Amino acid sequence: PVQGDLLELPLVLAPQVVHGDGEVYGTLNFAVPAFNTGICSAPSSRTRYTPPPTARLGDQPLLDEVIVELSEPPTEEAAKRLMQATGAPGFRIPAYIERLVLAVPPGVTIDDFVRELLAQPEVVDAYPNGHAVVLGAPAVPDDPCFNVQHHLHQINAPTAWTVTIGEPGIVVAVLDSGVDTDHPDLAPNLLPGWNAFDGTDDVHDSSEHGHGTHVAGIIGAVANNGLGVAGTAWNVSILPVKVIDGRHGPLSEVAAGIRYAADAGAHVINMSFGLNADVPVIRDAVEYAAAKGAVLVAAVGNTGMGFATTVYPARYEEVIGVGASAMHRPTAAASFSLRGPGIDVVAPGEAVWSTVPGRYGAMSGTSMATPVVSGVAALMLAQGIPATEVRDILQRTAVRIGEPATDPGALFTAGYGLVNAYGAVLGLDPGDALVFVMDQGGIIYGEPTTPDLERRFTVTRVPAYDGLHVVAWLDVNGDGTLDPGDYFGAAPISGPGRVDLYLAVYWGEAENELASAAAEAIERLGRMG
């Protein structure tokens, strides 16, 4: 017994920490998971397309209508008074947006009609009713299932599903061209929808290539059913709201759809469309939905460097703006993904496989990246994360692309990086990681540390020895030990200097020969307090 006590003393009282005079410094980042490509035998769309650029608002034909804001809520009587005063041949009062839409009189330009309306005492504001434009189109590869579901692997969704697959009580509104309500991979998760054009529940997909159906499938296609594809959040409810007819949607109907979704209790509102102008009726609807507690997610656009800036509604402060990452370089923005302010994160947007009417197919565009993020947001909400924290956690847990905190060029290209579903659903903070230096036997060198807000770390008092490794560990379950599901990373060093670490999900000692020694070192550090 005495001899046993003596053997334990070095472990408890002398934890084998060796000091020197140098520093090991660098940054900490999450790693993009590796995955194997696959083949899918599901019926697919065989036509090849390339994603068109996002159209400027002024490049699309304006509707022969003007949106009018009155000093009081619009009524039929007020509309008729304005028709008589201006010669407008007709009017509409769309649901939810508290605006009047007046038809432009024959032979009168829209600009002249707007000026005439603004001269009326009861008119607060008036502007043309244009179009929002969907931000993606099919890009089907020759191989009908080329890199099937690569987007789910790149964002670490399979690991996130070990935490949650979503909850049916979480409602994601898809504001788009409608959906294929009979699609077997969507129907079980669909709620009765709403058509902003006629106020009915007819939400059939009127897009030539099934844009809305594709977006809905990326978010919530049923998984584990032996059919087609899996959604990012495959156990949530999808609320289809039809605001796009083909590829365009009147701003009045888009705004109505945003407000409808908020009133219907949508927790997440996906908007895979955009326009390059700040339009009051859209801005008001966004603010209304945000005040209702909805998480709003929108595409930033598809013209790469062609535009001076990203599009609306992604640029609104209340909206999470999503760019697209490149298929074969997930830590780079896709060439078509628009650059500029308002990008919070990027997600896979090239050749993303999902549902299309009656079958399956791949499309490319920021339209496809956006529902990936909406699906992750739905998973976060299902895990109990408050809506007010979703944006910050998405940014905090993203795989960094460049230095967004110090480089506006990086921020305006990829935001805070590639969305990381596993880290997001757990609400992790990279600043909680433990960084230390050890040798292959687990002896600790220098002073262990934690990263700062920008994920930078410095381990001091490290000697110049060969065979050392800098190690980082993020205790996911908080049990104080290195075990499956934690984040772990290691890199060899020969002494002081710079090294950048990448954290990957740890699944057991067989994956990393240093894991056993690192686990013992972590245990000793825990005993040291």
Side-chain angles (χ1 to χ4, degrees):
V2 173
Q3 190 177 25
D5 289 342
L6 289 174
L7 289 174
E8 286 186 5
L9 283 175
L11 182 64
V12 177
L13 300 180
Q16 297 174 289
V17 178
V18 180
H19 295 308
D21 298 322
E23 291 183 345
V24 174
Y25 60 94
T27 59
L28 196 66
N29 201 356
F30 292 105
V32 180
F35 68 98
N36 295 321
T37 60
I39 297 297
C40 174
S41 60
S44 62
S45 173
R46 297 291 299 174
T47 310
R48 179 186 296 275
Y49 294 92
T50 55
T54 301
R56 295 178 183 270
L57 181 63
D59 292 340
Q60 297 298 317
L62 293 173
L63 298 173
D64 290 328
E65 295 177 334
V66 170
I67 299 174
V68 183
E69 181 180 356
L70 303 177
S71 55
E72 299 289 340
T75 63
E76 184 175 344
E77 291 75 16
K80 289 180 177 178
R81 286 197 301 272
L82 283 175
M83 288 173 63
Q84 184 174 7
T86 63
F91 73 93
R92 294 186 294 123
I93 304 179
Y96 290 98
I97 64 174
E98 295 188 347
R99 303 292 201 280
L100 177 67
V101 178
L102 285 174
V104 179
V108 177
T109 68
I110 291 179
D111 289 343
D112 288 343
F113 187 49
V114 166
R115 280 192 288 270
E116 188 172 1
L117 284 169
L118 291 173
Q120 304 302 316
E122 65 268 47
V123 174
V124 174
D125 199 4
Y127 41 88
N129 194 10
H131 292 278
V133 184
V134 298
L135 299 181
V140 181
D142 293 336
D143 184 335
C145 287
F146 177 69
N147 274 348
V148 169
Q149 305 289 104
H150 72 92
H151 61 287
L152 295 176
H153 295 277
Q154 288 175 342
I155 68 166
N156 218 353
T159 308
W161 293 337
T162 66
V163 181
T164 179
I165 58 173
E167 294 290 340
I170 300 298
V171 177
V172 183
V174 177
L175 273 63
D176 217 289
S177 60
V179 298
D180 176 4
T181 56
D182 295 324
H183 200 295
D185 236 1
L186 286 177
N189 285 349
L190 290 178
L191 297 173
W194 186 70
N195 186 323
F197 295 96
D198 58 17
T200 70
D201 61 358
D202 177 11
V203 291
H204 75 278
D205 196 337
S206 58
S207 167
E208 180 183 358
H209 308 298
H211 188 273
T213 302
H214 198 270
V215 167
I218 294 172
I219 296 170
V222 181
N224 204 30
N225 62 350
L227 296 175
V229 295
T232 307
W234 43 277
N235 195 37
V236 300
S237 297
I238 302 296
L239 174 67
V241 181
K242 185 170 181 174
V243 298
I244 303 291
D245 189 10
R247 289 197 67 245
H248 309 102
L251 303 182
S252 48
E253 273 61 32
V254 170
I258 296 171
R259 286 176 174 261
Y260 171 83
D263 285 348
H267 300 90
V268 182
I269 299 177
N270 186 91
M271 298 175 287
S272 290
F273 53 76
L275 58 148
N276 72 323
D278 175 9
V279 180
V281 70
I282 302 294
R283 182 178 66 246
D284 291 350
V286 164
E287 292 174 351
Y288 177 84
K292 285 266 190 176
V295 176
L296 295 106
V297 189
V300 303
N302 284 344
T303 52
M305 299 299 290
F307 279 5
T309 187
T310 46
V311 300
Y312 294 91
R315 284 188 65 188
Y316 290 128
E317 182 179 351
E318 298 84 358
V319 178
I320 297 171
V322 182
S325 57
M327 180 176 176
H328 297 294
R329 294 183 60 210
T331 54
S335 60
F336 58 78
S337 186
L338 204 150
R339 275 68 166 166
I343 305 175
D344 290 287
V345 290
V346 295
E350 288 189 336
V352 175
W353 274 81
S354 180
T355 49
V356 293
R359 55 192 188 280
Y360 303 90
M363 297 188 188
S364 294
T366 53
S367 276
M368 285 62 253
T370 301
V372 173
V373 175
S374 291
V376 173
L379 292 176
M380 296 168 70
L381 297 177
Q383 190 63 8
I385 293 174
T388 53
E389 297 180 17
V390 167
R391 183 203 304 268
D392 289 343
I393 291 174
L394 286 171
Q395 294 177 348
R396 187 174 76 209
T397 57
V399 177
R400 287 285 185 267
I401 299 175
E403 298 291 339
T406 57
D407 181 4
L411 182 66
F412 290 175
T413 297
Y416 285 84
L418 176 69
V419 67
N420 172 12
Y422 183 54
V425 299
L426 293 171
L428 298 181
D429 187 343
D432 292 332
L434 176 66
V435 182
F436 59 96
V437 172
M438 69 173 209
D439 63 16
Q440 290 183 328
I443 297 176
I444 301 163
Y445 293 75
E447 298 289 344
T449 187
T450 56
D452 63 16
L453 292 175
E454 305 308 325
R455 302 184 180 180
R456 296 170 299 204
F457 64 85
T458 302
V459 181
T460 59
R461 305 178 68 186
V462 177
Y465 291 165
D466 289 330
L468 298 182
H469 290 77
V470 60
V471 175
W473 166 62
L474 185 54
D475 190 7
V476 168
N477 60 12
D479 65 357
T481 61
L482 174 61
D483 44 23
D486 286 353
Y487 269 105
F488 179 76
I493 58 172
S494 58
R498 179 181 179 88
V499 59
D500 293 324
L501 279 174
Y502 291 88
L503 290 171
V505 181
Y506 172 70
W507 290 118
E509 295 180 7
E511 294 189 0
N512 194 306
E513 60 183 14
L514 291 175
S516 179
E520 294 179 5
I522 289 167
E523 182 180 358
R524 287 198 297 276
L525 288 170
R527 293 183 183 185
M528 293 172 61

